Amino acid sequence: MKRTFTLLIALACLTLAGCGFSLRGSQALPAELQQVALSAVKPHALLKRELKARLKVYQIPHIEASELAGSANTVLIRLQPETLERRLLSVFSTGQVAEYELIYGVNYQVVFPNKEPLYASFEVLRDYQDDPDKVLAKSRELDLVVSEMRREAADRIIRQLARQASGQ
């Protein structure tokens, strides 16, 4: 019985590996791309800071774009200012806003060595319930939600970078 179970597990792993399945976040940059250079329109952009932290988690070497000295194996990511918009979803009977949809927009450009720049943009969406009676707590919650959205955006940039690099 134990041997059959082990055989089934091995067969399932081989099937998943054979179809190209990989866990999210396990993709690395191709070996010919040695590091990533980051640049942002705003020097202290929070998305840039989060992207640096996420690159460190994925063990992808990175440098500042100002340190880029014509390295042939460096990918440049140019971040544009991120946007945060709120869309009204519902109101209380008193007319006060009850719920928003937060829209975190990201625009960036990726420049691979000896290639044309690739432009990309996407949005991260979250629903946010507002309570006018708990302004301080809701303000802190909003900061946490936006921080989570920024982390998700950084992870998404890295996943798209790995996919674009393998497609080059």
Side-chain angles (χ1 to χ4, degrees), residues 118-164:
L118 300 170
Y119 296 91
S121 64
F122 60 87
E123 294 177 339
V124 178
L125 306 173
R126 291 284 187 281
D127 289 346
Y128 173 73
Q129 295 181 348
D130 200 7
D131 185 355
D133 296 332
K134 299 176 183 171
V135 174
L136 189 59
K138 284 299 183 175
S139 173
R140 178 66 180 137
E141 181 183 346
L142 178 61
D143 291 342
L144 290 172
V145 169
V146 172
S147 176
E148 176 187 304
M149 293 169 77
R150 193 174 290 117
R151 182 175 300 116
E152 182 179 329
D155 284 340
R156 192 165 170 183
I157 290 171
I158 293 169
R159 284 193 310 271
Q160 287 179 350
L161 180 66
R163 188 176 68 240
Q164 290 167 341

Side-chain angles (χ1 to χ4, degrees), residues 3 16 25 30 46 56 65 87 90 94-95 119 124 140 153 156:
R3 187 175 180 156
L16 283 175
L46 295 174
K56 199 175 287 186
R87 185 179 309 151
S90 64
T94 61
Y119 296 91
V124 178
R140 178 66 180 137
R156 192 165 170 183

Side-chain angles (χ1 to χ4, degrees), residues 53-66:
R54 301 309 291 169
L55 286 169
K56 199 175 287 186
V57 167
Y58 291 113
Q59 299 175 348
I60 299 172
H62 60 280
I63 60 172
E64 290 293 323
S66 59

